[in-house]
Amino acid sequence: MPQTDETPTPTTENTPSQEGRATRPSTFSHAKTATIAERIRSARIAANKSQQELAGKTYSKAYVSAVERGKMTPSVQALGVLAGRLGLPVSFFLGESDADLSVLAESAAATLPTSEQHRKAREDAVALMLGEAEYALRRRQADEAIERLGGDEPPEDLSAMQRPRWYWLKGWALVLKQFHHEAISTLEKGLSVTEHCAQAPQPQKGMLAELAERLRLALGSAYYELRQLELAVEYHRRGLQAATDGIVSDPELKLRMYVALCHDYLLLGRHQEAASLYDAVKEQVNEAVNPLAQPAIYWGLTLAHQEAGDLIRARMNVQKALMAEELQENVALSAQLRSLFGQILVQLGKFEEAESNLKQSLSVAERTGDETTRGLTLASYADLYLAEGRQEEALKAVREGLQVVAKTKDKRTEGQLHLAAAAVHEAKKDAKAAEGDFKQALSIFQQTEDADLIGRAHEKYGKFLADQGRFQEAYEQMHLARSAHLRHNQN
């Protein structure tokens, strides 16, 4: 699953104290490498102007925010207007000259009463502390972030609007440190604090509502890491609903919610639900510029091509998904992807390569205690052994898999293992045992209410009955299969 460090930067431009006014350098550093965006932001902060003040009546605050984040490049005319308002030459923003930004800070400070200077100095220090902590987390430097954030509770002089963000950052750091129970406790406190800010001024309510969803996303990630996947799904689904309802406006945050829930479903083996989210992910992101979405997109393509019987393209996309997950160091999903890769290779008749991938998947699943992936991999092993004619080894893999899923109560994998057992018994000419497993698989799949799985099971059972010469019963199973597939397509 995607790690919590993938959580996007919150929108913090709503109040002056959250615009980073604390970073007032006396001189501008990294002059030759700094971008226009960095120069505009540094100059604005040094001048103690808000984004709205810099925008004035000519532009919107959203425009200035986009320019500072490097999402938009101002025209020469716009750059001239912004430079004039900041009292600096255009050449400074183009990297052709340097500037002493302390002059801007002194000029701005001179216009403030002493008490106001103290208040702003404290706001600046707090904003700087939170900003530095978040920057450290984005570089996966959890210890540095924790040092910036201080103790187990937020500083007493932190404002009510800043406390939820402190809890979010501290929870994020704890997840990176793999202190998941402590992270959950911290993030839940943050949610409680956020809810108590319900009487906040109207301009800040939207920011708090979105921050609450960031806290939920992080909570889901913590539960995901603890393999409490149903709780992870609960938090991630709630976040996605908030995005659908318009509470979340940040497109990157929406994307992360889709991807997080997709990962939950994949690790639970609920591949069809994950595949349905894939279409939504495609609408949210261009895969070429969003590495986070690549595993989900390629995984969705794998499932789509596998379902369509295009195993060559399925293989190509599962390899891309595997590479993307491993680059993001998602061990659990990488293991499950290798299991899926092995399954596709079995279907392609690449038995040696299939066994190599399944072996790696099983090793990781056993080492991490991931029983869901272990069960799925054992089911794929059963298919491999059956394809190679190793019937007794196939049955052994099925029995071991059924013992594993008995602990996880993973009905989907349990049903698939019974289908594998049915195929083995059919190969051994034990029709009675095979039929028992087909019926058991159908009974289990009915509990999942997954129309696609139910339809496939009816179809396989129907083919078995036809091979036994029981054509009327086979026809009934095929009719049930068609009805289930129609239900699946309607959903």
Side-chain angles (χ1 to χ4, degrees):
M1 153 109 206
Q3 302 293 322
T4 310
D5 67 309
E6 295 171 344
T7 311
T9 307
T11 303
T12 55
E13 289 86 4
N14 291 302
T15 64
S17 64
Q18 292 166 325
E19 290 185 34
R21 288 183 171 177
T23 54
R24 297 178 186 161
S26 59
T27 56
F28 192 76
S29 59
H30 310 297
K32 293 183 179 179
T33 60
T35 63
I36 291 176
E38 291 168 337
R39 289 168 178 272
I40 290 175
R41 177 173 172 79
S42 295
R44 177 182 63 77
I45 291 171
N48 202 32
K49 288 183 179 290
S50 69
Q51 290 179 336
Q52 186 61 67
E53 288 168 342
L54 180 57
K57 295 182 180 180
T58 314
Y59 308 108
S60 67
K61 186 177 77 170
Y63 172 78
V64 173
S65 175
V67 168
E68 289 188 354
R69 288 182 290 121
K71 301 295 184 182
M72 295 184 67
T73 301
S75 66
V76 174
Q77 181 181 4
L79 189 58
V81 173
L82 297 177
R85 288 175 183 168
L86 291 168
L88 291 169
V90 172
S91 61
F92 165 74
F93 298 102
L94 295 176
E96 297 170 354
S97 66
D98 231 344
D100 185 353
L101 299 188
S102 63
V103 175
L104 298 179
E106 290 167 4
S107 175
T111 64
L112 296 173
T114 303
S115 59
E116 182 70 1
Q117 289 180 29
H118 288 315
R119 183 184 67 79
K120 281 201 166 291
R122 180 55 195 159
E123 287 180 352
D124 288 348
V126 168
L128 179 60
M129 177 266 286
L130 294 175
E132 288 178 341
E134 185 169 344
Y135 180 63
L137 289 170
R138 296 200 174 280
R139 292 177 292 150
R140 299 182 66 83
Q141 296 177 350
D143 288 328
E144 182 179 337
I146 289 172
E147 182 180 347
R148 293 283 188 275
L149 294 169
D152 295 332
E153 295 294 332
E156 292 183 2
D157 53 356
L158 211 62
S159 73
M161 295 297 104
Q162 292 166 327
R163 291 172 74 85
R165 187 182 175 203
W166 184 95
Y167 280 111
W168 171 60
L169 294 171
K170 188 60 175 285
W172 177 358
L174 290 169
V175 171
L176 285 180
K177 294 282 289 180
Q178 299 185 15
F179 298 154
H180 302 306
H181 293 288
E182 294 89 337
I184 288 169
S185 175
T186 298
L187 293 164
E188 285 178 342
K189 285 181 183 178
L191 263 182
S192 177
V193 169
T194 305
E195 289 166 357
H196 281 95
C197 291
Q199 301 305 315
Q202 188 61 41
Q204 295 174 335
K205 283 186 177 180
M207 179 192 73
L208 287 169
E210 194 162 279
L211 184 53
E213 300 312 321
R214 295 182 191 281
L215 285 158
R216 289 193 180 93
L217 180 62
L219 271 166
S221 297
Y223 281 117
Y224 175 93
E225 295 297 334
L226 289 170
R227 294 299 178 264
Q228 297 183 34
L229 297 176
E230 294 300 338
L231 282 171
V233 167
E234 181 181 339
Y235 278 107
H236 290 153
R237 286 184 66 179
R238 185 168 176 180
L240 192 55
Q241 185 61 52
T244 303
D245 292 342
I247 295 173
V248 174
S249 59
D250 185 335
E252 187 182 2
L253 179 55
K254 290 181 184 179
L255 167 65
R256 294 179 189 278
M257 288 172 170
Y258 275 110
V259 172
L261 187 55
C262 188
H263 283 179
D264 296 341
Y265 285 151
L266 290 170
L267 205 55
L268 281 166
R270 294 159 64 172
H271 291 150
Q272 294 307 315
E273 289 167 277
S276 67
L277 282 176
Y278 153 70
D279 289 329
V281 170
K282 282 199 301 185
E283 295 175 4
Q284 293 290 321
V285 66
N286 178 337
E287 61 180 296
V289 295
N290 289 272
L292 171 66
Q294 288 181 357
I297 289 173
Y298 291 134
W299 202 318
L301 284 168
T302 299
L303 296 172
H305 288 309
Q306 186 183 30
E307 186 174 346
D310 190 344
L311 298 177
I312 301 299
R313 285 192 173 87
R315 176 182 179 175
M316 177 183 68
N317 282 286
V318 76
Q319 286 176 302
K320 290 180 180 179
L322 183 58
M323 182 180 296
E325 287 291 8
E326 289 180 341
L327 284 173
Q328 294 183 22
E329 299 180 352
N330 195 328
V331 176
L333 286 179
S334 294
Q336 195 177 125
L337 269 170
R338 286 205 176 276
S339 180
L340 177 59
F341 192 13
Q343 183 186 107
I344 292 169
L345 289 167
V346 169
Q347 293 173 304
L348 286 167
K350 306 287 186 180
F351 300 142
E352 185 175 343
E353 189 179 353
E355 188 160 11
S356 173
N357 279 276
L358 294 176
K359 184 177 180 180
Q360 292 181 63
S361 174
L362 192 59
S363 174
V364 172
E366 289 173 345
R367 187 175 71 249
T368 60
D370 184 352
E371 300 290 49
T372 299
T373 299
R374 187 179 167 204
L376 284 167
T377 305
L378 287 166
S380 295
Y381 257 117
D383 292 337
L384 169 65
Y385 291 146
L386 181 60
E388 292 182 316
R390 298 154 65 180
Q391 297 170 357
E392 292 304 322
E393 289 176 86
L395 275 179
K396 182 180 178 182
V398 167
R399 294 190 188 103
E400 185 179 350
L402 287 172
Q403 289 178 347
V404 170
V405 297
K407 304 173 189 175
T408 64
K409 298 182 180 179
D410 179 357
K411 296 300 181 183
R412 288 169 175 79
T413 304
E414 184 181 359
Q416 289 167 354
L417 283 161
H418 278 290
L419 286 180
V424 175
H425 287 130
E426 190 175 0
K428 296 181 70 175
K429 309 300 182 184
D430 188 345
K432 183 177 180 181
E435 185 163 9
D437 277 306
F438 276 122
K439 289 180 177 179
Q440 187 72 13
L442 276 166
S443 174
I444 292 167
F445 285 148
Q446 291 290 347
Q447 297 175 49
T448 69
E449 298 183 356
D450 187 321
D452 184 60
L453 285 176
I454 293 168
R456 290 175 184 275
H458 277 302
E459 188 175 347
K460 289 182 178 180
Y461 186 27
K463 290 178 179 177
F464 164 78
L465 291 170
D467 289 340
Q468 299 297 310
R470 296 158 61 180
F471 299 112
Q472 183 58 38
E473 293 172 87
Y475 172 79
E476 291 171 0
Q477 290 298 317
M478 291 302 183
H479 177 73
L480 291 169
R482 183 173 182 277
S483 299
H485 287 314
L486 286 173
R487 288 199 308 276
H488 171 69
N489 292 332
Q490 287 171 354
N491 293 332

